[in-house]
Amino acid sequence: MASPTSINPAHAHFESVLQAQLCQDVLSSFQGLCRALGLEPGGGLPQYHKIKAQLNYWSAKSLWAKLDKRASQPVYQQGRACTGTKCLVVGAGPCGLRAAVELAMLGARVVLVEKRTKFSRHNVLHLWPFTIHDLRALGAKKFYGRFCTGSLDHISIRQLQLLLLKVALLLGVEIHWGVTFTGLQPPPRKGSGWRAQLQPSPPAQLANYEFDVLISAAGGKFVPEGFTVREMRGKLAIGITANFVNGRTVEETQVPEISGVARIYNQSFFQSLLKATGIDLENIVYYKDDTHYFVMTAKKQCLLRLGVLRQDWPETDRLLGSANVAPEALQRFARAAADFATHGKLGKLEFAQDAHGRPDVSAFDFTSMMRAESSARVQEKHGARLLLGLVGDCLVEPFWPLGTGVARGFLAAFDAAWMVKRWAEGAGPLEVLAERESLYQLLSQTSPENMHRNVAQYGLDPASRYPNLNLRAVTPSQVRDLYDVEAKEPVQRMSDKTDSRKPATGSVATQEELLHWCQEQTAGYPGVHVTDLSSSWADGLALCALVHRLRPGLLEPSELQGVGALEATSWALKMAEHELGITPVLSAQAMVAGNDPLGLIAYLSHFHSAFKSTPHNPGPVSQGSPGTASAVLFLGKLQRTLQRTRAQGNGEDAGGKKPRVEVEAETPSTEEPPVPEPDVPVTPPSQYQEASAEDLCALCGEHLYILERLCANGRFFHRSCFRCHICEATLWPSGYGQHPGDGHFYCLQHLPQPGHKEDSSDRGPESQDLPTHSENNMPSRPSIPGAPQEGTTPVPSQPTRQLIRLSSPERQRLSSLHLTPDPEMEAPPKPPRSCSVLARQALEGSFVGWGMPVQSPQVLVAVEKEEEESPCSSDEEAEEDVPLDSDTEQVLWSLAKNSGTMNSYPTWRRTLLRRAKEEEMKRFCKAQAIQRRQNEIEAALRELEAKGTELELALRSRSSSPEQQKALWLEQLLQLVQKKNSLVAEEAELMITVQELNLEEKQWQLDQELRTYMNQEETLKTAADRQAEDQVLRKLVDVVNQRDALIRFQEERRLSELASGPGPQG
């Protein structure tokens, strides 16, 4: 019996369209389909209805049903919402094609031009839940049977372009290939319209096409004239992508994907990689799609050392130019990293071929990302209006580790189509632009967590996607400069950057305001008379009074009698740093000598900006007071605790005594003043005097200007000099250590560890201790010559630590975070790190508190129904069976058998694994967002330093500039100091989040290690096994205590912020 396709040629052409995997094959098959049906391609939405009516083919009916369901949404008005609107879309990338599909469904005539002639990008895109639902609604499974069948939701760019191209062709979009858009051709006279300048010479029909809407999706390198682009710059970041041939063998399908591993929380992985291969990475991701796709961030020094980069050039374009990249070395680099990350299970890695027939591996720069200042414009000439909109990379270049590119690109495509609908409805140009810019403000904030949960209800209407939508966030008067009319003077746009010639009013104190505030804070203290911002502070009493005003419990003014100026100033500087989070800008010696008035003014301005909103009363200042850099304070305590912990291996700390864990950042009570510890020697003034030339960097010896000064361990450095001695990585707060032997600073990964016995021998660089709540370590008060310390209480000697042997049930409870024998108290949930842990938590409903809902049977039923709604038809490939490791498999089987889940919910295995990978992906994205923001802060600080240096040179020069000009320069300098302090405080907040990630990762690793010992028979354990088990147990207890301290710190800060109420931030 003849098949249906042999009887009706149109059926065969339709099947060819579905199965085509090359761009040219799609086009030729569709043209054949149109010829067989007697239709002309590019006929708009009427063409789709004709194809559907004439192609009465069983294989097409399911596709028609999906497209009809989408087109039946009221917003499209049955394809008549934009009738008469003519659109030109530039670029056939995923976002351009998605915008073209929406415009076609609205009934507009859509012409798309693309300079390329084939789709060849193998790189893989991460998909958000709504993009998966959106593509399924367009028939993605019909065109690509493997769509979202693995443990991670992703698709290659090429496959995404192919399926969207097929949908666009069916909906009547007119597509022209090998045509480059070079600019706009304004209407030459009244009555004519806007046209495009195209190369090479297009056909007459395209050359004469007049349109009233232009949607640019041509990528970040092409933005239409008139749009302003802002650069978001971080430090140098080099990415490497590699695509290897996927033979789809059984062995290859067994290799699990990697949702993302980041150095910021998993340093051990990258240490092993460095030792095994010499490769130094920041992160790595592995997706399995048409190819084995790897993307990673590499360090420049490593690339130079391994010969991937031939020479080190300061210009990024020259550094990563083809002449400076060795192709063979780059291939070896990518192959070795991929082989290590997959434990060599992919076998011989063969590179896929790119569009030019070369191995598909490349190095790229994502140091800076471009973002358009506005998303739309209107141009008018001779009465003809043109609406211009941006989507895709030319609107916002995505940061690849976050996986936001295609999701936010689709959202921008929907928003642009909604703008065209409002335009077609006759809304005024300014109203349309104001609505579009209001939506654009939301784009960079979107994530799967803060959008509407019901993705099935997403549509073109922005209200269906964005909660708390305000389409009037931007007013028409604010977008007048986006409306260009012939002979209208362009309006100068306000820049985000502060004009250096005009300081922001009210954002920073003038010199007179700062002096008045200091006088208010120090009024009433004996012997303190502040009349200026230089000599009045030389005796140290004024600074001690200011510190006492903000922390009254630390020292009584009477105790300062007989104390030298240098010692009093040293103590006040130290207390301000340790208890207020105010880092020094100048040394005690310089402060007493009065030879750095600018540094003193900058230092005091930090007090003012942090505590200016504090009411003038005798009570202590709350740690959560507005502007208080509590994160800086906490990390300072953490850094000192780490230093003492590392010194513990040598038996004594810097003061010659056994180290203690420092008190958590909390406010001393006035009723119960802190008890000083006599066993802590007074820090000698030389701590700040050794680097008394704080205008010289302690590392490079070059001059240090005020905004360049970074204080660490009592010495001053350039931020650019304060790097790891080995890898030259920037040293972040609480993320470095100083080696006592050579005096160099190192990141925790490369910090040399001396060999110690017992516990200290395996405390790796990632072993960090947070300040605990139970022990106190206040900086000692300045010693009074000839008089004993008053108010000191002998500290009872601590009992000798004894080794505690725990029973197996107690160890089991500890490994599960049940740190109390009370069975009625519920332990806090463990961080979801492994598939086995996630499986148990999902089935036992213990995801509450970690961003995941309780997995009730109703939820699993809903998951089942969702899976059953779109079963794989005979022409769609079944989902791949994702392998599990033996431990995970055993946990899942036992839980499923005991709960009856296996019989009721057959998709439990795939669902649990998918959710585990999703949680790992969220964790990875969070880490990468932190790292990117850290890099942006570093770049912003460099800019501030350059501006501050210029201002400081002008102020210090003995020029004849008028006093008014000098006052303006000083105000601008203080404004820069305030900006720097704000960025440093934000940096500290990020590092606290890093600590959370580190502790979660460390706890999971220790938990897994402990379980391996616990699963052994007691009779088979050796003495070494028991000793190792005890060490792991102690480490786990330490980590749990550190997490508890961190959580307590954050909770106390939150409560104090609530108590203080909303107030102006410093």
Side-chain angles (χ1 to χ4, degrees):
M1 179 177 178
S3 65
T5 56
S6 62
I7 298 174
N8 190 336
H11 295 177
H13 288 300
F14 179 79
E15 287 295 332
S16 298
V17 171
L18 292 183
Q19 304 301 327
Q21 290 296 301
L22 296 176
C23 181
Q24 293 299 331
D25 293 343
V26 174
L27 296 176
S28 60
S29 299
F30 184 75
Q31 290 172 352
L33 174 64
C34 290
R35 285 195 301 269
L37 299 177
L39 301 174
E40 284 293 329
L45 203 56
Q47 171 200 279
Y48 164 73
H49 293 297
K50 293 177 182 178
I51 293 177
K52 185 179 68 171
Q54 295 186 43
L55 193 63
N56 187 18
Y57 180 37
W58 66 269
S59 182
K61 290 182 179 180
S62 61
L63 179 60
W64 305 149
K66 289 182 176 294
L67 296 179
D68 287 345
K69 183 178 180 180
R70 175 80 182 191
S72 64
Q73 295 180 8
V75 69
Y76 299 109
Q77 300 176 16
Q78 297 181 350
R80 295 192 293 269
C82 292
T83 303
T85 302
K86 297 180 180 180
C87 305
L88 177 68
V89 178
V90 180
C95 298
L97 287 167
R98 191 64 191 87
V101 167
E102 286 301 308
L103 294 173
M105 285 190 168
L106 287 168
R109 182 186 175 187
V110 185
V111 175
L112 186 148
V113 294
E114 168 58 51
K115 64 181 180 181
R116 292 184 292 263
T117 58
K118 58 183 177 181
F119 298 149
S120 57
R121 289 186 289 174
H122 295 294
N123 292 355
V124 180
L125 302 172
H126 173 63
L127 299 178
W128 289 6
F130 94 85
T131 53
I132 298 171
H133 187 277
D134 177 71
L135 292 170
R136 280 178 174 165
L138 295 178
K141 292 287 286 185
K142 191 74 177 176
F143 299 115
Y144 182 51
R146 296 193 186 95
F147 179 71
C148 288
T149 56
S151 60
L152 292 172
D153 296 323
H154 51 68
I155 188 172
S156 70
I157 298 177
R158 189 181 73 86
Q159 285 293 346
L160 182 56
Q161 287 178 289
L162 283 172
L163 72 87
L164 288 174
L165 170 63
K166 296 171 185 178
V167 175
L169 289 171
L170 290 172
L171 293 178
V173 176
E174 181 181 333
I175 301 179
H176 297 269
W177 301 94
V179 177
T180 302
F181 176 86
T182 58
L184 287 169
Q185 183 178 332
R189 57 188 176 277
K190 194 172 183 64
S192 57
W194 292 82
R195 299 180 182 179
Q197 297 178 358
L198 305 170
Q199 291 181 353
S201 298
Q205 180 182 2
L206 180 59
N208 297 327
Y209 178 60
E210 295 183 350
F211 48 89
D212 45 20
V213 174
L214 172 68
I215 302 296
S216 176
K221 295 183 179 180
F222 178 80
V223 178
E225 185 179 356
F227 286 90
T228 304
V229 177
R230 176 163 54 94
E231 182 182 27
M232 298 175 291
R233 191 166 189 83
K235 71 173 186 178
L236 179 65
I238 302 175
I240 294 177
T241 60
N243 284 278
F244 299 98
V245 174
N246 186 354
R248 304 191 185 279
T249 63
V250 175
E251 291 76 13
E252 288 174 295
T253 61
Q254 298 297 314
V255 180
E257 296 176 290
I258 302 173
S259 58
V261 183
R263 176 192 297 273
I264 204 169
Y265 62 82
N266 191 349
Q267 296 182 1
S268 59
F269 172 85
F270 295 96
Q271 283 178 317
S272 301
L273 172 65
L274 181 62
K275 289 181 180 179
T277 64
I279 293 175
D280 206 2
L281 298 180
E282 292 287 348
N283 52 49
I284 188 169
V285 173
Y286 162 50
Y287 290 156
K288 192 187 313 179
D289 209 272
D290 279 356
T291 61
H292 296 294
Y293 170 69
F294 291 84
V295 58
M296 61 202 79
T297 302
K299 293 189 176 183
K300 182 182 72 171
Q301 295 302 325
C302 170
L303 296 176
L304 288 168
R305 175 168 44 83
L306 296 179
V308 177
L309 300 178
R310 294 188 170 97
Q311 284 184 273
D312 188 5
W313 300 103
E315 303 87 4
T316 307
D317 292 342
R318 194 173 183 183
L319 179 70
L320 297 179
S322 57
N324 197 47
V325 176
E328 296 80 8
L330 179 60
Q331 293 171 31
R332 288 194 301 269
F333 185 99
R335 185 180 284 111
D339 192 63
F340 180 88
T342 57
H343 306 287
K345 295 180 179 179
L346 288 178
K348 184 179 179 181
L349 292 169
E350 179 183 351
F351 284 99
Q353 302 297 306
D354 63 10
H356 305 285
R358 298 189 295 252
D360 194 352
V361 56
S362 63
F364 64 97
D365 166 47
F366 61 101
T367 303
S368 62
M369 296 180 295
M370 312 306 293
R371 176 186 176 90
E373 292 279 4
S374 60
S375 59
R377 299 184 67 86
V378 173
Q379 295 187 16
E380 181 176 342
K381 188 171 184 180
H382 296 308
R385 291 176 177 172
L386 176 66
L387 175 65
L388 299 95
L390 304 180
V391 298
D393 289 1
C394 64
L395 179 64
V396 179
E397 284 187 331
F399 180 49
W400 73 260
L402 299 185
T404 58
V406 68
R408 291 178 179 169
F410 275 23
L411 290 174
F414 296 156
D415 295 339
W418 174 261
M419 174 184 67
V420 175
K421 178 179 181 294
R422 298 281 290 128
W423 179 263
E425 290 172 348
L430 293 180
E431 182 181 355
V432 171
L433 291 172
E435 281 191 8
R436 180 67 188 96
E437 294 308 305
S438 298
L439 292 173
Y440 183 37
Q441 289 184 348
L442 299 175
L443 186 63
S444 61
Q445 307 169 19
T446 55
S447 68
E449 289 74 31
N450 61 17
M451 297 181 65
H452 280 312
R453 297 293 182 180
N454 190 357
V455 296
Q457 299 300 320
Y458 281 23
L460 202 60
D461 189 343
S464 67
R465 294 175 273 123
Y466 306 116
N468 305 319
L469 177 65
N470 181 13
L471 290 175
R472 294 183 175 84
V474 178
T475 62
S477 61
Q478 293 175 291
V479 294
R480 292 185 182 278
D481 56 324
L482 303 181
Y483 183 19
D484 296 334
V485 183
E486 186 181 19
K488 179 174 77 75
E489 288 294 329
V491 180
Q492 181 67 32
R493 296 208 65 189
M494 295 296 293
S495 173
D496 289 343
K497 297 183 179 180
T498 306
D499 190 347
S500 60
R501 296 168 298 179
K502 299 180 181 180
T505 305
S507 62
V508 67
T510 63
Q511 187 172 356
E512 292 75 16
E513 292 171 343
L514 180 60
L515 176 60
H516 180 68
W517 181 82
C518 291
Q519 290 171 337
E520 281 186 344
Q521 302 300 313
T522 58
Y525 285 89
V528 177
H529 303 285
V530 176
T531 59
D532 54 32
L533 295 176
S534 56
S535 60
S536 297
W537 305 81
D539 58 3
L541 297 180
L543 186 59
C544 287
L546 182 60
V547 172
H548 180 268
R549 159 70 187 88
L550 300 173
R551 287 289 187 273
L554 300 179
L555 179 72
E556 291 301 324
S558 60
E559 298 180 20
L560 292 174
Q561 297 178 2
V563 176
L566 200 58
E567 185 179 4
T569 303
S570 298
W571 178 88
L573 286 171
K574 184 176 182 180
M575 292 300 297
E577 181 180 9
H578 289 191
E579 299 301 322
L580 299 177
I582 308 294
T583 55
V585 178
L586 72 171
S587 66
Q589 186 180 33
M591 200 167 184
V592 172
N595 56 12
D596 190 6
L598 280 181
L600 178 60
I601 292 174
Y603 181 58
L604 293 176
S605 71
H606 195 175
F607 283 89
H608 177 265
S609 62
F611 299 100
K612 62 184 177 182
S613 59
T614 304
H616 186 63
N617 57 54
V621 177
S622 168
Q623 184 187 7
S625 299
T628 304
S630 56
V632 176
L633 180 61
F634 180 81
L635 287 179
K637 291 178 178 290
L638 172 59
Q639 180 62 34
R640 293 187 291 276
T641 301
L642 290 174
Q643 290 173 345
R644 285 196 304 274
T645 302
R646 286 187 284 267
Q648 185 177 12
N650 298 326
E652 295 183 350
D653 63 1
K657 300 295 180 181
K658 292 292 182 180
R660 295 159 314 284
V661 181
E662 191 162 345
V663 70
E664 186 177 352
E666 63 176 346
T667 304
S669 171
T670 54
E671 290 78 9
E672 298 181 5
V675 179
E677 299 181 5
D679 60 341
V680 183
V682 177
T683 302
S686 61
Q687 178 180 356
Y688 289 97
Q689 295 175 30
E690 290 175 0
S692 59
E694 69 280 348
D695 54 346
L696 296 180
C697 175
L699 287 176
C700 70
E702 297 295 328
H703 188 80
L704 266 177
Y705 295 95
I706 290 175
L707 262 78
E708 293 177 330
R709 295 175 188 173
L710 183 148
C711 184
N713 292 8
R715 295 189 293 168
F716 293 91
F717 308 89
H718 291 104
R719 282 184 65 94
S720 57
C721 294
F722 196 60
R723 296 178 178 273
C724 174
H725 183 63
I726 293 180
C727 66
E728 299 186 1
T730 301
L731 299 178
W732 308 106
S734 79
Y736 68 89
Q738 185 177 16
H739 192 264
D742 57 20
H744 294 301
F745 290 92
Y746 299 86
C747 66
L748 295 182
Q749 180 182 356
H750 297 114
L751 181 64
Q753 297 294 315
H756 301 306
K757 296 181 181 180
E758 295 184 2
D759 196 13
S760 60
S761 62
D762 49 14
R763 291 183 68 90
E766 69 278 358
S767 179
Q768 303 178 13
D769 293 322
L770 286 172
T772 61
H773 194 66
S774 58
E775 299 180 65
N776 191 7
N777 178 34
M778 291 301 228
S780 60
R781 306 177 182 186
S783 60
I784 301 174
Q789 295 259 354
E790 295 183 1
T792 60
T793 304
V795 179
S797 60
Q798 299 294 328
T800 306
R801 292 186 177 183
Q802 296 181 355
L803 187 62
I804 300 176
R805 295 285 184 182
L806 298 182
S807 63
S808 295
E810 289 172 330
R811 293 172 178 174
Q812 180 67 38
R813 284 197 299 270
L814 176 61
S815 67
S816 300
L817 283 184
H818 292 274
L819 300 179
T820 171
D822 186 357
E824 297 179 358
M825 294 184 64
E826 183 179 356
K830 289 168 48 183
R833 286 297 302 126
S834 68
C835 294
S836 59
V837 173
L838 283 176
R840 176 179 287 107
Q841 290 175 327
L843 292 176
E844 295 178 355
S846 59
F847 275 116
V848 178
W850 290 94
M852 296 188 68
V854 175
Q855 301 307 315
S856 61
Q858 291 80 4
V859 174
L860 292 177
V861 170
V863 172
E864 286 297 319
K865 290 183 177 179
E866 181 182 352
E867 295 288 342
E868 293 171 1
E869 284 180 358
S870 56
C872 297
S873 60
S874 58
D875 60 335
E876 295 177 357
E877 196 166 310
E879 296 191 1
E880 296 179 5
D881 188 26
V882 182
L884 299 176
D885 57 77
S886 57
D887 293 338
T888 305
E889 188 80 17
Q890 183 178 359
V891 170
L892 291 175
W893 274 95
S894 60
L895 289 173
K897 288 178 181 178
N898 294 334
S899 61
T901 308
M902 183 184 303
N903 297 330
S904 303
Y905 315 112
T907 61
W908 58 269
R909 186 175 186 275
R910 184 174 61 250
T911 301
L912 292 177
L913 183 60
R914 183 181 294 273
R915 286 176 179 164
K917 291 293 186 180
E918 287 173 356
E919 285 302 308
E920 292 177 1
M921 173 70 73
K922 291 178 184 178
R923 179 182 178 83
F924 176 73
C925 291
K926 184 177 182 180
Q928 295 311 300
I930 291 173
Q931 189 167 15
R932 176 65 191 184
R933 182 54 188 156
Q934 285 178 330
N935 294 341
E936 290 176 350
I937 288 175
E938 187 175 348
L941 287 172
R942 284 199 300 265
E943 293 181 6
L944 291 179
E945 290 171 0
K947 295 178 182 178
T949 299
E950 183 180 350
L951 286 171
E952 187 176 346
L953 286 172
L955 284 167
R956 293 187 185 275
S957 64
R958 302 182 182 275
S959 62
S960 58
S961 302
E963 292 300 320
Q964 184 178 4
Q965 179 62 53
K966 291 183 177 179
L968 180 61
W969 286 340
L970 179 59
E971 191 172 348
Q972 292 172 1
L973 180 65
L974 294 180
Q975 183 181 1
L976 295 180
V977 170
Q978 181 175 333
K979 286 183 177 180
K980 174 187 175 181
N981 293 336
S982 177
L983 289 173
V984 170
E986 182 185 357
E987 185 180 57
E989 295 284 354
L990 294 175
M991 288 309 301
I992 287 181
T993 308
V994 170
Q995 291 295 332
E996 291 182 280
L997 295 174
N998 275 327
L999 289 175
E1000 290 177 11
E1001 178 71 19
K1002 199 191 309 183
Q1003 179 183 318
W1004 174 79
Q1005 292 176 352
L1006 291 172
D1007 177 79
Q1008 298 300 309
E1009 189 175 355
L1010 182 61
R1011 287 176 186 272
T1012 60
Y1013 290 111
M1014 293 170 55
N1015 291 334
Q1016 296 179 14
E1017 292 290 340
E1018 287 292 333
T1019 56
L1020 300 179
K1021 291 182 181 179
T1022 64
D1025 290 337
R1026 291 190 176 90
Q1027 183 180 9
E1029 183 177 0
D1030 290 335
Q1031 291 177 357
V1032 173
L1033 196 59
R1034 286 197 298 270
K1035 288 182 180 180
L1036 186 57
V1037 173
D1038 289 340
V1039 170
V1040 171
N1041 289 334
Q1042 292 168 35
R1043 291 191 66 185
D1044 179 67
L1046 186 58
I1047 293 171
R1048 188 185 301 113
F1049 161 74
Q1050 293 176 321
E1051 179 64 14
E1052 288 180 356
R1053 184 176 60 176
R1054 184 185 69 84
L1055 293 176
S1056 57
E1057 288 175 352
L1058 290 175
S1060 63
Q1065 295 297 316

